[in-house]
Amino acid sequence: MNADEAGAGWWRDAVVYQVYVRSFADSDGDGIGDLAGLRDRLPYLRDLGVDAIWLTPFYRSPMVDGGYDVTDYRQVDPMFGDLADFDAMLADAHAYGLRVIIDVVPNHTSSAHRWFQAAVAAPPGSPERERYIFRAGRGPDGAEPPNDWESIFGGDAWTRLPDGQWYLHIFDPEQPDLNWELPEVRAEFEEILRFWLDRGVDGFRVDVAHGNIKAPGLPDVGYSSKTGRNQRQSRLLEGTKLPYFDQDGVHEIYRVWRQILDSYPGGRMAVAEAWASSPERLARYVGPDELHQVFNFDFLHATWSVDSFRKVIDTALAEATLVGAPTTWVLSNHDKPRHVTRYGGGALGLRRGRAAALLMLALPGVAYLYQGEELGLDEVLDLPDELRQDPAFRRTGESRDGCRVPLPWSGHTAPFGFGPAGAWLPAPATWTAHTVAAQEGESGSTLELYRAALRLRRAEPALRGGELTWTEAEPGVLAFRRGELTCVVNLGTEPVDVRRYGTPIVASAALDGDFLPVDAAAWLKQEPLG
Ligand code: NOJ
């Protein structure tokens, strides 16, 4: 094995930390996180013990959708720095042993992208319009949208130009969908992948990977409920097939992408953000000739019960085994309310959130952490409406801003060391207890819990590879073995005696003698025999 092949399978059991760049660390005092700020804080991530970081989009963008509206896929937006800052950050990350995954946004561009600008300036039927999805409207004078599709952010998925044609946007009107039937679009993204792979990135997180291909003829969905994005996603999860998501044709694209990734040394990978109507269909995104991973959002939707977690874990592991790919686990990300809040908020939410982290980090496969979960941050629910920036907020009242509040690093007043000046969203006063500085070296802090778990995960071979074996446990208790280690999660109503599982090596809450309290988890190790 040569040096390049060594570590090529790093992505199979990695812990990946999601950096929401504009809220991670600000170096220049404009209140917005940037690449230089991230670079300064890389030692923190090295010490946390993660294997890789995933950066949300930092490309040139009007930031209508937090950078998921890209105008130039090969340039850094000035608010985040420039390409030299990116290269310096990447070199440092690699020197610290951290891999770097970046977001790629292929389903849509920004409306300010030169292609869309050219399309708007060109007449209907022109090659410039071919790159997007333009159609004539229905009804008298074509005044009705071409079909009944709704935007994930609320309202119609179509917007009309003054010349009468409509264009499709599954997300915001400022995010027109590309026409992936066009070879030119495919070629462009293949070149974008190579551009970043040549710079040395270790992989990509593929945004809306299930969206690129639309059903032929763009048929009506057949209902019109004006639902918001959460309801829409649950519909998908309930098994509804939508003509703009998860069409078979998307797989052809990723088979080509896999060949590109495999043509580079060192184990370059891609993880799909995909939603499909069943676990089987989701598993089709991964495999030796497609993408390496797909996010498993079912884990994030599991309720606080043995049955729910067990079902989600069993299903995910079975699907992953079938396709020979690792499964992934996600508790929080930049689109969902933070899990501390989902689990009830306050002291209860934090207890459960810490237990869930130990559960996740004991499972086989890849764990994705979202910045701030290692600090036990909760969702900020009381942001003033005028500061909210999520485009969905204006259209549906739903907002993802509460999980995007800049990280608290130190000090006793907002923005808690985020940067030299303010922050684009205000942190609550309660975060004074959650700063990195307040938690570092404090036994029992959430940061030290994550560090301990990540250290053990690295040190214990059974946690890196290997199977999961369920252990019979008391009612309300989830227990499974990974080699000599047992992970026990108390989801019940009574403290549980954990002596029979081994000696505790890490726990999310203090044990009471031999008893693991309610809403807590522990890893225990069997003494070697003899
Ligand atoms: C998924 C991203 O995670 C989300 O933040 C974004 O709004 C949509 N895709 C559209 O790009």
Side-chain angles (χ1 to χ4, degrees), residues 65 68 105 108 153 171 175 205 207-208 273 334-335 400 404:
D65 184 21
Y68 285 94
V105 187
H108 45 263
F153 291 161
F171 294 89
Q175 294 168 298
R205 176 264 191 194
D207 187 60
V208 202
E273 184 236 2
H334 66 294
D335 289 331
R400 296 165 292 173
R404 300 174 176 182

Side-chain angles (χ1 to χ4, degrees), residues 28 63 184 196 228 268 305 314 332 342 370 384 409 446 500:
D28 59 9
M63 298 293 283
E184 185 190 6
W196 292 103
R268 316 293 175 104
S305 73
D314 278 337
S332 282
R342 289 203 320 273
Y370 177 51
W409 291 93
T446 303
R500 71 184 179 93

Side-chain angles (χ1 to χ4, degrees), residues 70-340:
V70 181
T71 53
D72 187 339
Y73 291 81
R74 296 175 181 81
Q75 281 297 336
V76 173
D77 194 281
M79 83 171 65
F80 298 123
D82 56 23
L83 278 174
D85 292 320
F86 180 84
D87 290 341
M89 182 281 303
L90 183 65
D92 279 12
H94 283 164
Y96 291 136
L98 295 165
R99 310 261 181 171
V100 177
I101 298 170
I102 61 172
D103 232 297
V104 61
V105 187
N107 179 68
H108 45 263
T109 68
S110 161
S111 57
H113 190 284
R114 66 187 162 82
W115 275 5
F116 193 72
Q117 296 286 303
V120 170
S126 59
E128 286 84 355
R129 289 213 174 170
E130 235 346 73
R131 293 180 182 134
Y132 293 87
I133 302 176
F134 281 89
R135 293 288 185 277
R138 297 203 280 211
D141 305 326
E144 296 292 320
N147 65 24
D148 68 355
W149 297 2
E150 293 169 6
S151 157
I152 302 294
F153 291 161
D156 289 328
W158 296 91
T159 291
R160 198 175 196 196
L161 292 185
D163 62 28
Q165 269 211 320
W166 297 76
Y167 69 89
L168 178 69
H169 50 85
I170 292 298
F171 294 89
D172 194 79
E174 308 302 331
Q175 294 168 298
D177 281 47
L178 284 162
N179 173 14
W180 274 83
E181 305 294 345
L182 197 71
E184 185 190 6
V185 169
R186 295 181 186 226
E188 170 67 0
F189 275 87
E190 289 161 21
E191 286 311 310
I192 291 165
L193 296 186
R194 289 183 200 281
F195 176 86
W196 292 103
L197 289 166
D198 288 340
R199 296 196 101 80
V201 303
D202 298 284
F204 299 95
R205 176 264 191 194
V206 185
D207 187 60
V208 202
H210 54 312
N212 298 353
I213 298 291
K214 280 52 179 187
L218 312 184
D220 280 345
V221 171
Y223 65 82
S224 183
S225 53
K226 306 289 176 214
T227 51
R229 57 187 289 282
N230 288 329
Q231 288 103 310
R232 181 63 62 81
Q233 283 172 351
S234 19
R235 251 174 215 283
L236 251 185
L237 294 175
E238 282 158 14
T240 311
K241 290 254 311 146
L242 296 167
Y244 46 82
F245 279 163
D246 192 33
Q247 300 298 306
D248 290 343
V250 294
H251 298 288
E252 204 180 296
I253 298 166
Y254 303 127
R255 284 196 281 271
V256 175
W257 285 23
R258 179 60 179 255
Q259 286 167 18
I260 296 173
L261 290 162
D262 284 351
S263 72
Y264 284 79
R268 316 293 175 104
M269 55 75 75
V271 54
E273 184 236 2
W275 297 82
S277 53
S278 69
E280 297 77 29
R281 285 201 68 89
L282 201 59
R284 296 179 70 206
Y285 287 79
V286 292
D289 67 343
E290 270 200 47
L291 302 179
H292 300 69
Q293 302 166 6
V294 60
F295 287 132
N296 158 25
F297 293 122
D298 288 349
F299 188 61
L300 175 155
H301 288 119
T303 56
W304 195 252
S305 73
V306 170
D307 287 353
S308 178
F309 275 122
R310 208 167 148 168
K311 186 164 167 240
V312 165
I313 294 168
D314 278 337
T315 309
L317 290 177
E319 288 304 325
T321 309
L322 269 185
V323 290
T327 186
T328 62
W329 310 104
V330 182
L331 283 171
S332 282
N333 65 27
H334 66 294
D335 289 331
K336 295 285 176 188
R338 285 187 177 274
H339 65 268
V340 163

